[in-house]
Amino acid sequence: MSEKKIIIGSTRAGLTLKKELTVWLESKGFRVDDAGMKEGGEFVPYHEAAAAVARGISEKRYERGIIICGTGAGSVITAAKFKGVYPVHVFNTFTAQQAKAVNNCNVLVFGEWLTPPKHACRLVDAWLETGFTDGVDDEWKVFLRNCVREIGELEDRLFR
C-alpha cells in the first residue's frame, strides 16, 4: 500500500462501529477520511454513504475503503455499481483474508447490527495484512490475476 490512508463511511446504523474503527485505524498510522454521516450531523442514507466511499475508490483517490450500515447488504449492492470497486461483506478472519487474497477486495462492508467492534478491528487487520494472491500456489496466482483482468475488461464493456 503506497500511502496509509483509507476512506470510511456509514449511515446512522453504523456510527458507533465507524468511530471504533476510525480510532483503531488511526492508532495504526492511517489517515481516515470520513465520507458518510457524522455524529450529530444531517442524516445520510446508506446508499449515499456507500456511493461516497465507492466513488473515492473508483476515482483512485483511495486504494481501500470501509462501509458500515445496519446489515451491510444494501451497501454491498450500492458499492458494486462503481467501476473498479470490489466490496465484500466479511464476517470472520478467513473471509476477510480470502476477500483480498482471492478476490482483490478493496472495500470491506460491515453491518453494525451484526459485527461487534473488537471483532471488526480483527477483520480489518486480517484484510489489511493480506495481499492479492497471498498464500496461493503459483498456478492459482496466474488464474486469479487473469480473473481480475477479465473482470476489469467486463467493466470496461459494461460501464460506458
Side-chain angles (χ1 to χ4, degrees), residues 64-65 85-110 123-124 126-128 130-134 136 144 148 151:
R64 295 191 190 203
V85 177
Y86 310 118
V88 177
H89 183 222
V90 296
F91 48 91
N92 60 32
T93 54
F94 180 76
T95 57
Q97 291 166 330
Q98 293 300 292
K100 184 60 183 173
V102 173
N103 305 111
N104 206 23
C105 163
N106 53 11
V107 175
L108 283 191
V109 180
F110 292 106
L123 301 184
V124 169
W127 176 63
L128 289 171
T130 303
F132 181 48
T133 72
D134 278 2
V136 177
L144 293 173
V148 168
I151 291 167

PDB file of all heavy atoms in Angstrom, residues 64-65 85-110 123-124 126-128 130-134 136 144 148 151:
ATOM      1  N   ARG A  64      -8.223   1.610  -0.577  1.00  0.00           N
ATOM      2  CA  ARG A  64      -9.125   0.768   0.211  1.00  0.00           C
ATOM      3  C   ARG A  64     -10.137   1.623   0.961  1.00  0.00           C
ATOM      4  O   ARG A  64      -9.856   2.764   1.314  1.00  0.00           O
ATOM      5  CB  ARG A  64      -8.340  -0.057   1.223  1.00  0.00           C
ATOM      6  CG  ARG A  64      -7.410  -1.072   0.570  1.00  0.00           C
ATOM      7  CD  ARG A  64      -6.880  -2.023   1.585  1.00  0.00           C
ATOM      8  NE  ARG A  64      -5.819  -2.861   1.033  1.00  0.00           N
ATOM      9  CZ  ARG A  64      -5.491  -4.039   1.524  1.00  0.00           C
ATOM     10  NH1 ARG A  64      -6.116  -4.517   2.569  1.00  0.00           N
ATOM     11  NH2 ARG A  64      -4.527  -4.746   0.980  1.00  0.00           N
ATOM     12  N   GLY A  65     -11.313   1.010   1.185  1.00  0.00           N
ATOM     13  CA  GLY A  65     -12.362   1.702   1.912  1.00  0.00           C
ATOM     14  C   GLY A  65     -13.165   0.758   2.776  1.00  0.00           C
ATOM     15  O   GLY A  65     -13.088  -0.469   2.623  1.00  0.00           O
ATOM     16  N   VAL A  85     -14.565  -1.153  -8.088  1.00  0.00           N
ATOM     17  CA  VAL A  85     -14.870  -1.298  -6.663  1.00  0.00           C
ATOM     18  C   VAL A  85     -15.328  -2.733  -6.418  1.00  0.00           C
ATOM     19  O   VAL A  85     -16.276  -3.207  -7.043  1.00  0.00           O
ATOM     20  CB  VAL A  85     -15.942  -0.288  -6.210  1.00  0.00           C
ATOM     21  CG1 VAL A  85     -16.297  -0.496  -4.748  1.00  0.00           C
ATOM     22  CG2 VAL A  85     -15.449   1.134  -6.456  1.00  0.00           C
ATOM     23  N   TYR A  86     -14.630  -3.409  -5.500  1.00  0.00           N
ATOM     24  CA  TYR A  86     -14.893  -4.819  -5.220  1.00  0.00           C
ATOM     25  C   TYR A  86     -15.189  -4.986  -3.740  1.00  0.00           C
ATOM     26  O   TYR A  86     -14.309  -5.312  -2.941  1.00  0.00           O
ATOM     27  CB  TYR A  86     -13.709  -5.680  -5.677  1.00  0.00           C
ATOM     28  CG  TYR A  86     -13.319  -5.355  -7.108  1.00  0.00           C
ATOM     29  CD1 TYR A  86     -12.075  -4.850  -7.415  1.00  0.00           C
ATOM     30  CD2 TYR A  86     -14.250  -5.498  -8.137  1.00  0.00           C
ATOM     31  CE1 TYR A  86     -11.739  -4.521  -8.723  1.00  0.00           C
ATOM     32  CE2 TYR A  86     -13.920  -5.157  -9.442  1.00  0.00           C
ATOM     33  CZ  TYR A  86     -12.667  -4.674  -9.722  1.00  0.00           C
ATOM     34  OH  TYR A  86     -12.343  -4.328 -11.010  1.00  0.00           O
ATOM     35  N   PRO A  87     -16.471  -4.755  -3.374  1.00  0.00           N
ATOM     36  CA  PRO A  87     -16.852  -4.809  -1.968  1.00  0.00           C
ATOM     37  C   PRO A  87     -17.201  -6.231  -1.530  1.00  0.00           C
ATOM     38  O   PRO A  87     -17.783  -7.002  -2.286  1.00  0.00           O
ATOM     39  CB  PRO A  87     -18.097  -3.924  -1.926  1.00  0.00           C
ATOM     40  CG  PRO A  87     -18.731  -4.132  -3.281  1.00  0.00           C
ATOM     41  CD  PRO A  87     -17.568  -4.323  -4.233  1.00  0.00           C
ATOM     42  N   VAL A  88     -16.825  -6.554  -0.299  1.00  0.00           N
ATOM     43  CA  VAL A  88     -17.187  -7.838   0.288  1.00  0.00           C
ATOM     44  C   VAL A  88     -17.646  -7.598   1.715  1.00  0.00           C
ATOM     45  O   VAL A  88     -16.995  -6.881   2.473  1.00  0.00           O
ATOM     46  CB  VAL A  88     -16.009  -8.844   0.267  1.00  0.00           C
ATOM     47  CG1 VAL A  88     -16.397 -10.148   0.950  1.00  0.00           C
ATOM     48  CG2 VAL A  88     -15.556  -9.111  -1.158  1.00  0.00           C
ATOM     49  N   HIS A  89     -18.778  -8.206   2.059  1.00  0.00           N
ATOM     50  CA  HIS A  89     -19.274  -8.177   3.433  1.00  0.00           C
ATOM     51  C   HIS A  89     -18.624  -9.348   4.155  1.00  0.00           C
ATOM     52  O   HIS A  89     -18.906 -10.499   3.847  1.00  0.00           O
ATOM     53  CB  HIS A  89     -20.799  -8.313   3.423  1.00  0.00           C
ATOM     54  CG  HIS A  89     -21.418  -8.229   4.762  1.00  0.00           C
ATOM     55  ND1 HIS A  89     -22.428  -9.058   5.158  1.00  0.00           N
ATOM     56  CD2 HIS A  89     -21.168  -7.414   5.813  1.00  0.00           C
ATOM     57  CE1 HIS A  89     -22.789  -8.761   6.385  1.00  0.00           C
ATOM     58  NE2 HIS A  89     -22.037  -7.765   6.799  1.00  0.00           N
ATOM     59  N   VAL A  90     -17.721  -9.049   5.079  1.00  0.00           N
ATOM     60  CA  VAL A  90     -16.967 -10.107   5.750  1.00  0.00           C
ATOM     61  C   VAL A  90     -17.507 -10.337   7.157  1.00  0.00           C
ATOM     62  O   VAL A  90     -18.068  -9.434   7.766  1.00  0.00           O
ATOM     63  CB  VAL A  90     -15.457  -9.797   5.788  1.00  0.00           C
ATOM     64  CG1 VAL A  90     -14.898  -9.748   4.377  1.00  0.00           C
ATOM     65  CG2 VAL A  90     -15.162  -8.516   6.525  1.00  0.00           C
ATOM     66  N   PHE A  91     -17.295 -11.561   7.649  1.00  0.00           N
ATOM     67  CA  PHE A  91     -17.829 -11.893   8.967  1.00  0.00           C
ATOM     68  C   PHE A  91     -16.871 -12.688   9.831  1.00  0.00           C
ATOM     69  O   PHE A  91     -17.147 -12.933  10.991  1.00  0.00           O
ATOM     70  CB  PHE A  91     -19.165 -12.621   8.842  1.00  0.00           C
ATOM     71  CG  PHE A  91     -19.145 -13.746   7.853  1.00  0.00           C
ATOM     72  CD1 PHE A  91     -18.823 -15.027   8.239  1.00  0.00           C
ATOM     73  CD2 PHE A  91     -19.444 -13.501   6.517  1.00  0.00           C
ATOM     74  CE1 PHE A  91     -18.784 -16.064   7.324  1.00  0.00           C
ATOM     75  CE2 PHE A  91     -19.413 -14.532   5.592  1.00  0.00           C
ATOM     76  CZ  PHE A  91     -19.084 -15.820   5.997  1.00  0.00           C
ATOM     77  N   ASN A  92     -15.723 -13.115   9.265  1.00  0.00           N
ATOM     78  CA  ASN A  92     -14.677 -13.751  10.075  1.00  0.00           C
ATOM     79  C   ASN A  92     -13.332 -13.495   9.396  1.00  0.00           C
ATOM     80  O   ASN A  92     -13.284 -12.969   8.282  1.00  0.00           O
ATOM     81  CB  ASN A  92     -14.948 -15.248  10.292  1.00  0.00           C
ATOM     82  CG  ASN A  92     -15.024 -16.047   9.013  1.00  0.00           C
ATOM     83  OD1 ASN A  92     -14.361 -15.740   8.018  1.00  0.00           O
ATOM     84  ND2 ASN A  92     -15.843 -17.074   9.020  1.00  0.00           N
ATOM     85  N   THR A  93     -12.235 -13.848  10.084  1.00  0.00           N
ATOM     86  CA  THR A  93     -10.917 -13.529   9.526  1.00  0.00           C
ATOM     87  C   THR A  93     -10.649 -14.277   8.225  1.00  0.00           C
ATOM     88  O   THR A  93      -9.990 -13.744   7.339  1.00  0.00           O
ATOM     89  CB  THR A  93      -9.787 -13.804  10.542  1.00  0.00           C
ATOM     90  OG1 THR A  93      -9.886 -15.138  11.007  1.00  0.00           O
ATOM     91  CG2 THR A  93      -9.838 -12.835  11.699  1.00  0.00           C
ATOM     92  N   PHE A  94     -11.184 -15.483   8.104  1.00  0.00           N
ATOM     93  CA  PHE A  94     -10.983 -16.234   6.863  1.00  0.00           C
ATOM     94  C   PHE A  94     -11.590 -15.485   5.678  1.00  0.00           C
ATOM     95  O   PHE A  94     -10.943 -15.320   4.641  1.00  0.00           O
ATOM     96  CB  PHE A  94     -11.564 -17.647   6.980  1.00  0.00           C
ATOM     97  CG  PHE A  94     -11.377 -18.465   5.739  1.00  0.00           C
ATOM     98  CD1 PHE A  94     -10.136 -19.010   5.430  1.00  0.00           C
ATOM     99  CD2 PHE A  94     -12.432 -18.686   4.861  1.00  0.00           C
ATOM    100  CE1 PHE A  94      -9.949 -19.753   4.277  1.00  0.00           C
ATOM    101  CE2 PHE A  94     -12.259 -19.431   3.708  1.00  0.00           C
ATOM    102  CZ  PHE A  94     -11.009 -19.972   3.415  1.00  0.00           C
ATOM    103  N   THR A  95     -12.838 -15.019   5.828  1.00  0.00           N
ATOM    104  CA  THR A  95     -13.462 -14.302   4.704  1.00  0.00           C
ATOM    105  C   THR A  95     -12.749 -12.976   4.436  1.00  0.00           C
ATOM    106  O   THR A  95     -12.638 -12.557   3.283  1.00  0.00           O
ATOM    107  CB  THR A  95     -14.972 -14.065   4.919  1.00  0.00           C
ATOM    108  OG1 THR A  95     -15.177 -13.341   6.135  1.00  0.00           O
ATOM    109  CG2 THR A  95     -15.744 -15.362   4.937  1.00  0.00           C
ATOM    110  N   ALA A  96     -12.243 -12.321   5.474  1.00  0.00           N
ATOM    111  CA  ALA A  96     -11.515 -11.060   5.272  1.00  0.00           C
ATOM    112  C   ALA A  96     -10.220 -11.304   4.497  1.00  0.00           C
ATOM    113  O   ALA A  96      -9.890 -10.567   3.562  1.00  0.00           O
ATOM    114  CB  ALA A  96     -11.224 -10.401   6.616  1.00  0.00           C
ATOM    115  N   GLN A  97      -9.485 -12.347   4.875  1.00  0.00           N
ATOM    116  CA  GLN A  97      -8.239 -12.673   4.173  1.00  0.00           C
ATOM    117  C   GLN A  97      -8.511 -13.122   2.745  1.00  0.00           C
ATOM    118  O   GLN A  97      -7.849 -12.676   1.805  1.00  0.00           O
ATOM    119  CB  GLN A  97      -7.480 -13.768   4.920  1.00  0.00           C
ATOM    120  CG  GLN A  97      -6.921 -13.310   6.241  1.00  0.00           C
ATOM    121  CD  GLN A  97      -6.472 -14.467   7.109  1.00  0.00           C
ATOM    122  OE1 GLN A  97      -7.010 -15.569   7.056  1.00  0.00           O
ATOM    123  NE2 GLN A  97      -5.470 -14.203   7.943  1.00  0.00           N
ATOM    124  N   GLN A  98      -9.474 -14.004   2.572  1.00  0.00           N
ATOM    125  CA  GLN A  98      -9.775 -14.523   1.247  1.00  0.00           C
ATOM    126  C   GLN A  98     -10.346 -13.452   0.328  1.00  0.00           C
ATOM    127  O   GLN A  98     -10.105 -13.467  -0.883  1.00  0.00           O
ATOM    128  CB  GLN A  98     -10.742 -15.711   1.338  1.00  0.00           C
ATOM    129  CG  GLN A  98     -10.140 -16.927   2.013  1.00  0.00           C
ATOM    130  CD  GLN A  98      -8.920 -17.437   1.273  1.00  0.00           C
ATOM    131  OE1 GLN A  98      -9.019 -17.936   0.171  1.00  0.00           O
ATOM    132  NE2 GLN A  98      -7.758 -17.292   1.891  1.00  0.00           N
ATOM    133  N   ALA A  99     -11.105 -12.514   0.886  1.00  0.00           N
ATOM    134  CA  ALA A  99     -11.646 -11.427   0.077  1.00  0.00           C
ATOM    135  C   ALA A  99     -10.519 -10.671  -0.621  1.00  0.00           C
ATOM    136  O   ALA A  99     -10.639 -10.289  -1.781  1.00  0.00           O
ATOM    137  CB  ALA A  99     -12.473 -10.476   0.945  1.00  0.00           C
ATOM    138  N   LYS A 100      -9.402 -10.491   0.083  1.00  0.00           N
ATOM    139  CA  LYS A 100      -8.258  -9.791  -0.516  1.00  0.00           C
ATOM    140  C   LYS A 100      -7.400 -10.744  -1.338  1.00  0.00           C
ATOM    141  O   LYS A 100      -7.050 -10.444  -2.486  1.00  0.00           O
ATOM    142  CB  LYS A 100      -7.406  -9.121   0.577  1.00  0.00           C
ATOM    143  CG  LYS A 100      -6.265  -8.296   0.017  1.00  0.00           C
ATOM    144  CD  LYS A 100      -6.763  -7.176  -0.884  1.00  0.00           C
ATOM    145  CE  LYS A 100      -5.609  -6.401  -1.495  1.00  0.00           C
ATOM    146  NZ  LYS A 100      -6.072  -5.429  -2.475  1.00  0.00           N
ATOM    147  N   ALA A 101      -7.042 -11.905  -0.779  1.00  0.00           N
ATOM    148  CA  ALA A 101      -6.121 -12.829  -1.449  1.00  0.00           C
ATOM    149  C   ALA A 101      -6.696 -13.384  -2.747  1.00  0.00           C
ATOM    150  O   ALA A 101      -5.985 -13.529  -3.733  1.00  0.00           O
ATOM    151  CB  ALA A 101      -5.753 -13.980  -0.511  1.00  0.00           C
ATOM    152  N   VAL A 102      -7.978 -13.679  -2.767  1.00  0.00           N
ATOM    153  CA  VAL A 102      -8.601 -14.329  -3.925  1.00  0.00           C
ATOM    154  C   VAL A 102      -9.330 -13.333  -4.823  1.00  0.00           C
ATOM    155  O   VAL A 102      -9.249 -13.420  -6.043  1.00  0.00           O
ATOM    156  CB  VAL A 102      -9.565 -15.443  -3.457  1.00  0.00           C
ATOM    157  CG1 VAL A 102     -10.350 -16.020  -4.620  1.00  0.00           C
ATOM    158  CG2 VAL A 102      -8.795 -16.532  -2.716  1.00  0.00           C
ATOM    159  N   ASN A 103     -10.035 -12.388  -4.228  1.00  0.00           N
ATOM    160  CA  ASN A 103     -10.899 -11.503  -4.999  1.00  0.00           C
ATOM    161  C   ASN A 103     -10.368 -10.079  -5.156  1.00  0.00           C
ATOM    162  O   ASN A 103     -11.010  -9.254  -5.783  1.00  0.00           O
ATOM    163  CB  ASN A 103     -12.287 -11.435  -4.370  1.00  0.00           C
ATOM    164  CG  ASN A 103     -12.884 -12.811  -4.215  1.00  0.00           C
ATOM    165  OD1 ASN A 103     -13.029 -13.296  -3.098  1.00  0.00           O
ATOM    166  ND2 ASN A 103     -13.200 -13.460  -5.315  1.00  0.00           N
ATOM    167  N   ASN A 104      -9.212  -9.781  -4.553  1.00  0.00           N
ATOM    168  CA  ASN A 104      -8.624  -8.445  -4.598  1.00  0.00           C
ATOM    169  C   ASN A 104      -9.600  -7.378  -4.119  1.00  0.00           C
ATOM    170  O   ASN A 104      -9.666  -6.267  -4.660  1.00  0.00           O
ATOM    171  CB  ASN A 104      -8.080  -8.119  -5.984  1.00  0.00           C
ATOM    172  CG  ASN A 104      -6.972  -7.092  -5.927  1.00  0.00           C
ATOM    173  OD1 ASN A 104      -6.323  -6.915  -4.907  1.00  0.00           O
ATOM    174  ND2 ASN A 104      -6.748  -6.413  -7.044  1.00  0.00           N
ATOM    175  N   CYS A 105     -10.363  -7.721  -3.086  1.00  0.00           N
ATOM    176  CA  CYS A 105     -11.355  -6.823  -2.491  1.00  0.00           C
ATOM    177  C   CYS A 105     -10.695  -5.530  -2.028  1.00  0.00           C
ATOM    178  O   CYS A 105      -9.673  -5.554  -1.346  1.00  0.00           O
ATOM    179  CB  CYS A 105     -12.006  -7.540  -1.307  1.00  0.00           C
ATOM    180  SG  CYS A 105     -12.899  -6.492  -0.161  1.00  0.00           S
ATOM    181  N   ASN A 106     -11.300  -4.401  -2.410  1.00  0.00           N
ATOM    182  CA  ASN A 106     -10.765  -3.114  -1.981  1.00  0.00           C
ATOM    183  C   ASN A 106     -11.719  -2.338  -1.074  1.00  0.00           C
ATOM    184  O   ASN A 106     -11.405  -1.240  -0.637  1.00  0.00           O
ATOM    185  CB  ASN A 106     -10.326  -2.262  -3.182  1.00  0.00           C
ATOM    186  CG  ASN A 106     -11.401  -2.090  -4.223  1.00  0.00           C
ATOM    187  OD1 ASN A 106     -12.564  -2.425  -4.010  1.00  0.00           O
ATOM    188  ND2 ASN A 106     -11.018  -1.576  -5.379  1.00  0.00           N
ATOM    189  N   VAL A 107     -12.878  -2.920  -0.777  1.00  0.00           N
ATOM    190  CA  VAL A 107     -13.833  -2.301   0.140  1.00  0.00           C
ATOM    191  C   VAL A 107     -14.423  -3.372   1.053  1.00  0.00           C
ATOM    192  O   VAL A 107     -15.020  -4.343   0.568  1.00  0.00           O
ATOM    193  CB  VAL A 107     -14.976  -1.576  -0.615  1.00  0.00           C
ATOM    194  CG1 VAL A 107     -16.019  -1.039   0.358  1.00  0.00           C
ATOM    195  CG2 VAL A 107     -14.431  -0.448  -1.487  1.00  0.00           C
ATOM    196  N   LEU A 108     -14.248  -3.181   2.349  1.00  0.00           N
ATOM    197  CA  LEU A 108     -14.907  -4.056   3.323  1.00  0.00           C
ATOM    198  C   LEU A 108     -16.231  -3.427   3.700  1.00  0.00           C
ATOM    199  O   LEU A 108     -16.332  -2.205   3.836  1.00  0.00           O
ATOM    200  CB  LEU A 108     -14.081  -4.197   4.604  1.00  0.00           C
ATOM    201  CG  LEU A 108     -12.882  -5.104   4.599  1.00  0.00           C
ATOM    202  CD1 LEU A 108     -12.384  -5.309   6.023  1.00  0.00           C
ATOM    203  CD2 LEU A 108     -13.167  -6.433   3.951  1.00  0.00           C
ATOM    204  N   VAL A 109     -17.221  -4.282   3.881  1.00  0.00           N
ATOM    205  CA  VAL A 109     -18.538  -3.809   4.293  1.00  0.00           C
ATOM    206  C   VAL A 109     -18.913  -4.536   5.577  1.00  0.00           C
ATOM    207  O   VAL A 109     -18.743  -5.756   5.693  1.00  0.00           O
ATOM    208  CB  VAL A 109     -19.600  -4.062   3.199  1.00  0.00           C
ATOM    209  CG1 VAL A 109     -20.963  -3.569   3.659  1.00  0.00           C
ATOM    210  CG2 VAL A 109     -19.193  -3.380   1.891  1.00  0.00           C
ATOM    211  N   PHE A 110     -19.420  -3.758   6.528  1.00  0.00           N
ATOM    212  CA  PHE A 110     -19.867  -4.316   7.805  1.00  0.00           C
ATOM    213  C   PHE A 110     -21.304  -3.916   8.077  1.00  0.00           C
ATOM    214  O   PHE A 110     -21.744  -2.833   7.679  1.00  0.00           O
ATOM    215  CB  PHE A 110     -19.020  -3.775   8.966  1.00  0.00           C
ATOM    216  CG  PHE A 110     -17.609  -4.254   8.966  1.00  0.00           C
ATOM    217  CD1 PHE A 110     -16.578  -3.400   8.601  1.00  0.00           C
ATOM    218  CD2 PHE A 110     -17.294  -5.549   9.344  1.00  0.00           C
ATOM    219  CE1 PHE A 110     -15.269  -3.830   8.608  1.00  0.00           C
ATOM    220  CE2 PHE A 110     -15.983  -5.989   9.354  1.00  0.00           C
ATOM    221  CZ  PHE A 110     -14.971  -5.129   8.988  1.00  0.00           C
ATOM    222  N   LEU A 123     -10.981  -8.153  11.851  1.00  0.00           N
ATOM    223  CA  LEU A 123     -11.255  -8.419  10.434  1.00  0.00           C
ATOM    224  C   LEU A 123     -10.549  -7.399   9.545  1.00  0.00           C
ATOM    225  O   LEU A 123      -9.985  -7.760   8.499  1.00  0.00           O
ATOM    226  CB  LEU A 123     -12.759  -8.408  10.164  1.00  0.00           C
ATOM    227  CG  LEU A 123     -13.596  -9.408  10.948  1.00  0.00           C
ATOM    228  CD1 LEU A 123     -15.047  -9.354  10.510  1.00  0.00           C
ATOM    229  CD2 LEU A 123     -13.044 -10.799  10.852  1.00  0.00           C
ATOM    230  N   VAL A 124     -10.549  -6.151   9.944  1.00  0.00           N
ATOM    231  CA  VAL A 124      -9.843  -5.123   9.180  1.00  0.00           C
ATOM    232  C   VAL A 124      -8.352  -5.430   9.165  1.00  0.00           C
ATOM    233  O   VAL A 124      -7.702  -5.344   8.118  1.00  0.00           O
ATOM    234  CB  VAL A 124     -10.126  -3.708   9.743  1.00  0.00           C
ATOM    235  CG1 VAL A 124      -9.200  -2.671   9.129  1.00  0.00           C
ATOM    236  CG2 VAL A 124     -11.585  -3.327   9.504  1.00  0.00           C
ATOM    237  N   ALA A 126      -6.881  -8.358   9.426  1.00  0.00           N
ATOM    238  CA  ALA A 126      -6.656  -9.519   8.548  1.00  0.00           C
ATOM    239  C   ALA A 126      -6.663  -9.088   7.086  1.00  0.00           C
ATOM    240  O   ALA A 126      -5.829  -9.528   6.281  1.00  0.00           O
ATOM    241  CB  ALA A 126      -7.708 -10.591   8.798  1.00  0.00           C
ATOM    242  N   TRP A 127      -7.580  -8.224   6.724  1.00  0.00           N
ATOM    243  CA  TRP A 127      -7.705  -7.713   5.346  1.00  0.00           C
ATOM    244  C   TRP A 127      -6.515  -6.845   4.962  1.00  0.00           C
ATOM    245  O   TRP A 127      -5.941  -6.994   3.886  1.00  0.00           O
ATOM    246  CB  TRP A 127      -9.018  -6.949   5.253  1.00  0.00           C
ATOM    247  CG  TRP A 127      -9.334  -6.255   3.986  1.00  0.00           C
ATOM    248  CD1 TRP A 127      -9.522  -6.801   2.748  1.00  0.00           C
ATOM    249  CD2 TRP A 127      -9.579  -4.850   3.845  1.00  0.00           C
ATOM    250  NE1 TRP A 127      -9.859  -5.818   1.850  1.00  0.00           N
ATOM    251  CE2 TRP A 127      -9.912  -4.624   2.498  1.00  0.00           C
ATOM    252  CE3 TRP A 127      -9.569  -3.783   4.719  1.00  0.00           C
ATOM    253  CZ2 TRP A 127     -10.220  -3.355   2.007  1.00  0.00           C
ATOM    254  CZ3 TRP A 127      -9.878  -2.519   4.236  1.00  0.00           C
ATOM    255  CH2 TRP A 127     -10.188  -2.321   2.894  1.00  0.00           C
ATOM    256  N   LEU A 128      -6.127  -5.936   5.867  1.00  0.00           N
ATOM    257  CA  LEU A 128      -5.012  -5.032   5.579  1.00  0.00           C
ATOM    258  C   LEU A 128      -3.684  -5.773   5.485  1.00  0.00           C
ATOM    259  O   LEU A 128      -2.797  -5.361   4.736  1.00  0.00           O
ATOM    260  CB  LEU A 128      -4.914  -3.946   6.653  1.00  0.00           C
ATOM    261  CG  LEU A 128      -6.014  -2.893   6.650  1.00  0.00           C
ATOM    262  CD1 LEU A 128      -5.898  -2.012   7.892  1.00  0.00           C
ATOM    263  CD2 LEU A 128      -5.983  -2.056   5.381  1.00  0.00           C
ATOM    264  N   THR A 130      -3.217  -8.759   4.357  1.00  0.00           N
ATOM    265  CA  THR A 130      -3.234  -9.743   3.273  1.00  0.00           C
ATOM    266  C   THR A 130      -3.090  -9.036   1.937  1.00  0.00           C
ATOM    267  O   THR A 130      -3.725  -8.009   1.696  1.00  0.00           O
ATOM    268  CB  THR A 130      -4.556 -10.553   3.300  1.00  0.00           C
ATOM    269  OG1 THR A 130      -4.683 -11.172   4.582  1.00  0.00           O
ATOM    270  CG2 THR A 130      -4.576 -11.606   2.206  1.00  0.00           C
ATOM    271  N   GLY A 131      -2.267  -9.591   1.077  1.00  0.00           N
ATOM    272  CA  GLY A 131      -2.111  -9.060  -0.270  1.00  0.00           C
ATOM    273  C   GLY A 131      -2.817  -9.950  -1.279  1.00  0.00           C
ATOM    274  O   GLY A 131      -3.110 -11.119  -1.007  1.00  0.00           O
ATOM    275  N   PHE A 132      -3.081  -9.398  -2.434  1.00  0.00           N
ATOM    276  CA  PHE A 132      -3.702 -10.175  -3.505  1.00  0.00           C
ATOM    277  C   PHE A 132      -2.804 -11.365  -3.845  1.00  0.00           C
ATOM    278  O   PHE A 132      -1.617 -11.189  -4.059  1.00  0.00           O
ATOM    279  CB  PHE A 132      -3.934  -9.280  -4.724  1.00  0.00           C
ATOM    280  CG  PHE A 132      -4.591  -9.971  -5.884  1.00  0.00           C
ATOM    281  CD1 PHE A 132      -5.716 -10.747  -5.701  1.00  0.00           C
ATOM    282  CD2 PHE A 132      -4.086  -9.838  -7.159  1.00  0.00           C
ATOM    283  CE1 PHE A 132      -6.330 -11.378  -6.774  1.00  0.00           C
ATOM    284  CE2 PHE A 132      -4.678 -10.453  -8.238  1.00  0.00           C
ATOM    285  CZ  PHE A 132      -5.809 -11.230  -8.040  1.00  0.00           C
ATOM    286  N   THR A 133      -3.345 -12.526  -3.851  1.00  0.00           N
ATOM    287  CA  THR A 133      -2.741 -13.842  -4.127  1.00  0.00           C
ATOM    288  C   THR A 133      -1.838 -14.359  -3.006  1.00  0.00           C
ATOM    289  O   THR A 133      -1.155 -15.368  -3.189  1.00  0.00           O
ATOM    290  CB  THR A 133      -1.990 -13.908  -5.481  1.00  0.00           C
ATOM    291  OG1 THR A 133      -0.786 -13.179  -5.414  1.00  0.00           O
ATOM    292  CG2 THR A 133      -2.860 -13.443  -6.644  1.00  0.00           C
ATOM    293  N   ASP A 134      -1.834 -13.723  -1.835  1.00  0.00           N
ATOM    294  CA  ASP A 134      -1.078 -14.258  -0.698  1.00  0.00           C
ATOM    295  C   ASP A 134      -1.575 -15.661  -0.359  1.00  0.00           C
ATOM    296  O   ASP A 134      -2.785 -15.905  -0.306  1.00  0.00           O
ATOM    297  CB  ASP A 134      -1.247 -13.383   0.554  1.00  0.00           C
ATOM    298  CG  ASP A 134      -0.342 -12.179   0.569  1.00  0.00           C
ATOM    299  OD1 ASP A 134       0.413 -11.978  -0.406  1.00  0.00           O
ATOM    300  OD2 ASP A 134      -0.405 -11.416   1.560  1.00  0.00           O
ATOM    301  N   VAL A 136      -1.441 -18.355  -2.072  1.00  0.00           N
ATOM    302  CA  VAL A 136      -1.995 -19.097  -3.200  1.00  0.00           C
ATOM    303  C   VAL A 136      -0.837 -19.681  -4.007  1.00  0.00           C
ATOM    304  O   VAL A 136       0.168 -19.002  -4.228  1.00  0.00           O
ATOM    305  CB  VAL A 136      -2.858 -18.160  -4.083  1.00  0.00           C
ATOM    306  CG1 VAL A 136      -3.395 -18.878  -5.299  1.00  0.00           C
ATOM    307  CG2 VAL A 136      -3.991 -17.563  -3.270  1.00  0.00           C
ATOM    308  N   LEU A 144      -5.979 -16.322 -10.817  1.00  0.00           N
ATOM    309  CA  LEU A 144      -6.652 -15.214 -10.143  1.00  0.00           C
ATOM    310  C   LEU A 144      -6.333 -13.875 -10.798  1.00  0.00           C
ATOM    311  O   LEU A 144      -7.216 -13.029 -10.947  1.00  0.00           O
ATOM    312  CB  LEU A 144      -6.284 -15.190  -8.659  1.00  0.00           C
ATOM    313  CG  LEU A 144      -6.802 -16.379  -7.852  1.00  0.00           C
ATOM    314  CD1 LEU A 144      -6.236 -16.340  -6.432  1.00  0.00           C
ATOM    315  CD2 LEU A 144      -8.324 -16.412  -7.835  1.00  0.00           C
ATOM    316  N   VAL A 148      -9.140 -11.281 -12.368  1.00  0.00           N
ATOM    317  CA  VAL A 148      -9.252  -9.852 -12.070  1.00  0.00           C
ATOM    318  C   VAL A 148      -9.126  -9.032 -13.353  1.00  0.00           C
ATOM    319  O   VAL A 148      -9.866  -8.067 -13.563  1.00  0.00           O
ATOM    320  CB  VAL A 148      -8.212  -9.432 -11.012  1.00  0.00           C
ATOM    321  CG1 VAL A 148      -8.109  -7.922 -10.888  1.00  0.00           C
ATOM    322  CG2 VAL A 148      -8.568 -10.052  -9.661  1.00  0.00           C
ATOM    323  N   ILE A 151     -12.383  -9.390 -15.256  1.00  0.00           N
ATOM    324  CA  ILE A 151     -13.438  -8.597 -14.612  1.00  0.00           C
ATOM    325  C   ILE A 151     -13.274  -7.132 -15.004  1.00  0.00           C
ATOM    326  O   ILE A 151     -14.255  -6.446 -15.303  1.00  0.00           O
ATOM    327  CB  ILE A 151     -13.416  -8.789 -13.083  1.00  0.00           C
ATOM    328  CG1 ILE A 151     -13.870 -10.207 -12.732  1.00  0.00           C
ATOM    329  CG2 ILE A 151     -14.296  -7.747 -12.385  1.00  0.00           C
ATOM    330  CD1 ILE A 151     -13.602 -10.611 -11.294  1.00  0.00           C
TER     331      ILE A 151
END
